[in-house]
Amino acid sequence: MNLRRYLPIAALFCAVAFASAAQIDDATKQLSRDIFRQLIEINTTDSTGSTTVAAEAMAKRLTDAGFPENDVQVLGPNARKKNLVARLHGTGGRRPILLIGHLDVVEAKREDWSTDPFQFIERDGYFYGRGTQDMKDADAIMVITLIRFRQEGYRPDRDIILALTADEEGGKSNGVDWLLQDHRDLIDAEYVLNPDGGGVYTQAGKAVMMSVDASEKIYADYQLEVKNPGGHSSLPVPDNAIYHLTDALARLERYRFPFELNEVTRTYFQRMAEVESGQTAADMRALAKNPPNRAAIARLSTDALFNAEMRTTCVATRLDAGHANNALPQTARAIVNCRILPGHTSEEVRRNIVQILADPSIAVRYVSDAGDISDTAPTERPSPAVTLRPDLMNALEKVSREMWPGAPVIPTMATGASDGVFTDGAGMPTYGVSGVAIDFNDVRAHGRDERVRVQSFYDGLEFYHRLLRTLTSPQ
Ligand SMILES: [Zn+2]
């Protein structure tokens, strides 16, 4: 889940604009709404839902629109977690572009919501339902865009591949990972667009910025463990497992990983300086200087998001120690969760933690996604920092200017993880790109009463149509 994050912009008063009205004919509008509704009303939760049903429904939409059966496949490692892969053939002038979107949604309980989360409801200018923000809106948009291209007889200069997949939010059958392992040929591409990240941010319906996720931090968990012979708590001794651990965690709390920018985060701060104002804007400009201004770094580091954009972070997330109220602890354990800058390895950070804790009685081990614990962490670099492709950035800026004039395009390194971590890791640079606008204060992904503005959905549809045409027309 690459939850659209709240961007803490305190003082936004830059020029803002409404989207120029999307030019979508009534038939396309109706079809789009029908496909969006169909997706919302198919339960795709890990517990009781099925992405297979959704994948098959979208496959039928595509073949009904004239896609050859050979170019539309539904496949997966188990019956309930299948994925859709479809291909619109181009002239083959360049390597394909891959579009990815997850079909699964986070659990939603009827009693928590004002309406049935698996019923598509239009009310007060919004579409409501689980997945309206994350990310069946974009799944529908990508399917419809392929159908429109087909109807228009459009021949791109490269293949456009669409993969709608299982288990991004959880579950053991991640579709992107599985496709890369078992069917790489089906989805191999020069680069990837993933509308699970990025998007247009609005205030009171007016566009403020278009955020584009480029590169993701790497997720890593570490287990800290102290063993001790223990003893009777009436006779305490200085060598105490809990105090060893808590003293060391206090050192970790005070430690800050080194400041480091890459192409994406440097551009992020430069462009955010135009959106922000006052001291914050001045500090963002000072970051780019060589050497960077230390006071500026310190001030910006007090903001959780800015801090996460400029360094690796590690934080204690769990603690577990002792076995009886009247005994000295024999074991004390903590879990530390790190989000690592691209270009660094999990093992490198494990060794950093050992140094920061500065206590040889503490074993620092790596915990894999599957929960396996090992003495060392992976040493391969999962993904290099993604670069900002000029062809993509130019196309984004052009289409964004047409639709949301005055709202800058701002690249962002995602601090959470999405399926892009797999495609980035497979050497296909991945960009979180979406034209669906959401208000800063209306981010409801994973939450109750998830919704998207009706107009935002159609604007997002028009955006993908224009963007993909720009990216796949001969230069
Ligand atoms: Zn998502």
Side-chain angles (χ1 to χ4, degrees), residues 1-3 102 104 133-135 168-169 196 446:
M1 58 118 242
N2 186 19
L3 183 64
H102 63 82
D104 58 315
Q133 283 191 7
D134 184 14
M135 59 173 290
E168 192 272 343
E169 303 285 6
D196 202 14
H446 297 208

Side-chain angles (χ1 to χ4, degrees), residues 131-393:
T132 47
Q133 283 191 7
D134 184 14
M135 59 173 290
K136 286 176 167 172
D137 54 338
D139 295 338
I141 283 170
M142 292 188 288
V143 169
I144 299 150
T145 301
L146 287 194
I147 291 174
R148 288 176 83 187
F149 284 163
R150 174 91 204 168
Q151 289 169 342
E152 294 160 2
Y154 175 60
R155 192 91 192 277
D157 73 348
R158 59 208 312 176
D159 289 6
I160 300 173
I161 307 166
L162 171 64
L164 297 181
T165 61
D167 280 7
E168 192 272 343
E169 303 285 6
K172 295 196 168 88
S173 305
N174 182 283
V176 175
D177 192 19
W178 182 81
L179 286 166
L180 283 167
Q181 306 274 348
D182 283 32
H183 296 277
R184 171 79 185 241
D185 54 312
L186 271 184
I187 59 165
D188 197 53
E190 185 172 341
Y191 66 92
V192 182
L193 301 183
N194 176 13
D196 202 14
V200 176
Y201 286 91
T202 52
Q203 255 184 350
K206 292 180 179 180
V208 174
M209 60 185 274
M210 163 169 281
S211 142
V212 178
D213 283 354
S215 77
E216 297 187 354
K217 289 180 112 176
I218 296 128
Y219 181 107
D221 287 324
Y222 301 91
Q223 184 204 63
L224 279 41
E225 186 181 62
V226 187
K227 291 279 192 192
N228 189 280
H232 202 286
S233 63
S234 63
L235 296 171
V237 292
D239 183 18
N240 177 300
I242 289 178
Y243 296 146
H244 273 288
L245 187 64
T246 53
D247 286 352
L249 286 174
R251 288 190 281 279
L252 180 69
E253 180 194 0
R254 289 189 295 270
Y255 181 80
R256 281 198 190 284
F257 278 79
F259 167 81
E260 182 183 322
L261 296 184
N262 54 43
E263 188 196 352
V264 172
T265 51
R266 185 176 297 278
T267 311
Y268 167 77
F269 283 114
Q270 281 165 350
R271 298 204 181 166
M272 282 298 288
E274 288 156 34
V275 177
E276 293 279 354
S277 62
Q279 184 71 54
T280 304
D283 285 345
M284 287 176 164
R285 289 192 183 96
L287 283 194
K289 298 230 170 77
N290 205 357
N293 183 298
R294 290 186 160 276
I297 294 172
R299 274 190 298 271
L300 290 175
S301 296
T302 59
D303 177 286
L305 175 61
F306 299 153
N307 182 56
E309 289 286 318
M310 62 173 91
R311 55 171 53 93
T312 292
T313 61
C314 289
V315 63
T317 52
R318 303 182 79 164
L319 205 52
D320 174 27
H323 57 283
N325 290 355
N326 58 359
L328 296 173
Q330 291 179 357
T331 308
R333 282 196 202 102
I335 294 288
V336 168
N337 174 247
C338 299
R339 306 301 175 116
I340 303 169
L341 286 179
H344 296 272
T345 70
S346 313
E347 175 60 12
E348 194 184 323
V349 171
R350 193 193 67 81
R351 289 181 192 173
N352 290 339
I353 294 171
V354 169
Q355 282 182 351
I356 297 158
L357 300 180
D359 184 341
S361 73
I362 304 172
V364 180
R365 301 190 182 94
Y366 177 75
V367 186
S368 76
D369 289 349
D372 301 324
I373 294 171
S374 53
D375 287 341
T376 57
T379 51
E380 73 269 19
R381 291 172 207 280
S383 57
V386 167
T387 57
L388 299 172
R389 298 177 60 96
D391 55 349
L392 176 61
M393 292 306 288

Side-chain angles (χ1 to χ4, degrees), residues 103-123:
L103 285 169
D104 58 315
V105 293
V106 172
E107 308 290 333
K109 293 200 184 111
R110 175 67 188 89
E111 58 268 29
D112 295 338
W113 280 52
S114 310
T115 57
D116 180 346
F118 297 102
Q119 215 190 322
F120 184 75
I121 291 168
E122 181 175 350
R123 180 188 290 169

